[in-house]
Amino acid sequence: MSKSVRIHPSILNADYSKILSEIDRVAKVSDLLHLDILDGKFAPNTSFSWEQAKYIIDGSSIPVDAHLMVIDCDEQGPKYAEAGCESVTVHVEATKDIRKAIRNIKSHGTRASLALKPSTQIEDYLDFVDDVDMFLIMTVEPGFGGQAFMPDMMDKVHRTRELIGERPIWLQVDGGISKETIEIASAAGADTFVAGSAVYKAEDPAAMVSILRDLAQTVQN
Ligand code: DX5
Ligand code: ZN
């Protein structure tokens, strides 16, 4: 039996002037749309303003998976949940009261997720394993699309998978996911894959999403 996986295209480097049609190109074959919010303080880059993010959340033909790389996750997390995102991810490094942030996000019927930068260890956040709907293990430093996948994160992915056990928690990887790397991440235990440049630099983005899905789901772990 093949493994059940999710593919979330990231529009960080897509063309904002035609963003909704860029989303439409992959909508039929994708699970959620990955929306990176960068404030220029948590990581050295900025992305969408609140107005642009609202426009995308309201207009996207598939539900949104928001990844907040901002310094005030406690405030921004619930705001994105209220705006109608299907899933909201806050960084553990930028959230003062993680339990409260998760509760506030979930109060809007939204999935709540915790993200870890490459240097952050999962073992420091064991307390939240019964509260979250997803863990996001970053496979690049937060900030930019198109960076190289960090294979040394696979041990952390594997440890997180062990920790999750039978719980229905998704395990997401984000950064450098492509035809060349997705099987490695899937074999380590990831089941939810963000792909930005691999999808939007492909001649046929929808076909690339399907290729990535096939590669990820044939891997056993
Ligand atoms: C990086 C972002 C990623 C980025 C991934 O900080 O969180 O979601 O868009 O882009 P690729 O797939 O090109 O590494
Ligand atoms: Zn992301």
Side-chain angles (χ1 to χ4, degrees):
M1 210 178 81
S2 67
K3 165 177 175 180
S4 151
V5 303
R6 284 159 291 276
I7 309 290
H8 298 181
S10 162
I11 48 163
L12 184 57
N13 288 349
D15 183 349
Y16 186 73
S17 68
K18 47 174 183 170
I19 200 76
L20 296 184
S21 60
E22 289 286 90
I23 297 169
D24 285 342
R25 290 173 83 189
V26 297
K28 275 202 187 71
V29 291
S30 302
D31 296 278
L32 298 181
L33 179 81
H34 188 81
L35 176 64
D36 289 304
I37 305 297
L38 288 144
D39 65 356
K41 296 174 187 151
F42 179 73
N45 192 14
T46 55
S47 59
F48 306 103
S49 68
W50 169 245
E51 287 70 30
Q52 289 173 323
K54 270 287 284 171
Y55 173 75
I56 293 167
I57 296 163
D58 292 343
S60 173
S61 40
I62 45 172
V64 169
D65 157 32
H67 175 195
L68 306 185
M69 289 165 280
V70 298
I71 52 168
D72 53 343
C73 280
D74 300 79
E75 290 80 38
Q76 299 294 321
K79 195 167 144 188
Y80 277 84
E82 190 178 8
C85 294
E86 173 89 12
S87 172
V88 171
T89 299
V90 294
H91 268 268
V92 293
E93 305 88 358
T95 310
K96 292 181 200 81
D97 188 337
I98 293 176
R99 205 170 301 280
K100 188 171 167 198
I102 293 173
R103 198 169 54 235
N104 287 343
I105 290 167
K106 284 185 168 177
S107 74
H108 297 284
T110 303
R111 298 178 63 91
S113 156
L114 293 178
L116 279 71
K117 285 166 57 163
S119 59
T120 304
Q121 296 310 315
I122 188 69
E123 286 73 16
D124 292 337
Y125 297 94
L126 299 181
D127 279 0
F128 303 104
V129 72
D130 287 313
D131 298 332
V132 292
D133 296 302
M134 180 169 87
F135 282 112
L136 163 50
I137 304 300
M138 293 296 297
T139 42
V140 296
E141 289 296 342
F144 299 90
Q147 302 182 78
F149 176 76
M150 298 169 73
D152 48 331
M153 289 300 114
M154 294 306 99
D155 185 54
K156 197 202 295 188
V157 171
H158 184 73
R159 293 190 331 258
T160 308
R161 171 52 66 199
E162 302 259 279
L163 167 72
I164 289 172
E166 296 303 309
R167 298 175 183 87
I169 299 174
W170 297 353
L171 179 48
Q172 186 174 62
V173 281
D174 180 10
I177 297 298
S178 68
K179 275 194 301 192
E180 287 68 40
T181 59
I182 196 163
E183 291 165 287
I184 300 167
S186 182
D191 59 14
T192 306
F193 303 86
V194 176
S197 23
V199 170
Y200 279 105
K201 286 211 172 113
E203 214 163 293
D204 183 342
M208 181 54 73
V209 170
S210 301
I211 290 168
L212 293 173
R213 185 186 303 284
D214 286 349
L215 288 169
Q217 69 189 6
T218 48
V219 170
Q220 301 299 321
N221 56 2

